[in-house]
Amino acid sequence: MKKFAWLIPALLVFLHQLIFARYLSPTIAYELIAAQRVWQGQMPFRDFYFDDLPLLACLRVPTVLLGQILQMAPLDSLSSWLAASHGSMLGALPCATGIVLAHLLCTWLVQFLSLTFCFVLIEQSKLTSRALTACRVLLVALTVAQLAAGFSSGCLQHLAFLLMQPFLCLIAIDCADGVSVDSVRSKQRWLAALLCGIAGALSIKFLAL
């Protein structure tokens, strides 16, 4: 059961983010509006101004599409409640109420996949008992760290952190005592490196990564 200890703080993080879901960051709203325009066939820098790399707006497109679906679903009453405090901020979006719930669900999904990947990396590595315990504690700490996002959950910095989490776990595994470099499968290493590269391509501020 110890190896699944990270699921408890993960559940608390998800509930915490549900509380803050009503307070969508203005920056996230700006990115979602840019994603809506991308979905409509417009190009950043050519058809509208966007002050960051285009990849960020493109990655928000699935959230916009999910928001359009939720707008027509019975869940619209829940998404309307979540959007009650910042509906005007998303006034440029035709699916302004559904997109709030869509953003929350997409953030949850990315968090869960990132933490699950970290869990798989740690549990499948050939670590000593002491090193394994240390890495499990690290995973719990990374999970609890999600609470710091607050109402900015799912923002650019939060997404970049989630994408880089598996790579951070790889570094911790490689630095453990008595562990061979091939303790983690090469495909998993490539995937972690790819996710870290995507994180660096989300913003000009991260290009140094």
Side-chain angles (χ1 to χ4, degrees):
M1 291 299 294
K2 291 182 179 179
K3 64 182 180 180
F4 293 105
W6 64 276
L7 290 174
I8 298 176
L11 178 60
L12 296 177
V13 168
F14 293 156
L15 294 176
H16 181 264
Q17 290 172 343
L18 179 61
I19 296 174
F20 278 94
R22 296 185 56 155
Y23 306 98
L24 192 67
S25 167
T27 305
I28 297 175
Y30 166 74
E31 295 166 0
L32 290 171
I33 292 173
Q36 173 74 11
R37 301 187 71 168
V38 169
W39 175 247
Q40 293 173 346
Q42 301 183 30
M43 293 290 294
F45 313 128
R46 186 192 69 182
D47 301 313
F48 64 94
Y49 173 76
F50 189 64
D51 60 358
D52 223 320
L53 298 181
L55 179 60
L56 178 58
C58 294
L59 288 181
R60 297 286 190 191
V61 171
T63 304
V64 174
L65 298 181
L66 181 59
Q68 293 175 348
I69 296 174
L70 295 177
Q71 184 76 8
M72 299 179 290
L75 288 173
D76 183 51
S77 57
L78 175 59
S79 58
S80 297
W81 172 79
L82 290 172
S85 62
H86 51 269
S88 59
M89 194 180 301
L90 291 167
L93 291 174
C95 54
T97 55
I99 204 171
V100 178
L101 180 58
H103 171 72
L104 178 64
L105 294 176
C106 288
T107 302
W108 280 353
L109 178 61
V110 174
Q111 278 182 153
F112 180 75
L113 293 177
S114 176
L115 292 171
T116 301
F117 188 20
C118 292
F119 170 76
V120 171
L121 289 175
I122 292 173
E123 295 302 324
Q124 290 187 354
S125 60
K126 302 174 183 177
L127 294 172
T128 62
S129 177
R130 183 178 179 181
L132 183 60
T133 300
C135 286
R136 286 173 177 172
V137 172
L138 172 64
L139 181 58
V140 172
L142 288 173
T143 306
V144 175
Q146 311 299 323
L147 293 171
F151 86 102
S152 295
S153 176
C155 68
L156 168 63
Q157 292 80 4
H158 188 207
L159 287 178
F161 177 75
L162 292 174
L163 291 173
M164 288 188 291
Q165 266 187 154
F167 195 77
L168 296 176
C169 284
L170 273 180
I171 294 176
I173 293 171
D174 290 341
C175 291
D177 294 332
V179 178
S180 60
V181 178
D182 61 348
S183 61
V184 178
R185 297 174 182 174
S186 59
K187 291 182 179 179
Q188 294 174 335
R189 289 183 176 276
W190 278 108
L191 180 57
L194 176 62
L195 293 175
C196 191
I198 293 175
L202 287 178
S203 174
I204 299 175
K205 300 183 286 289
F206 301 152
L207 286 180
L209 297 175

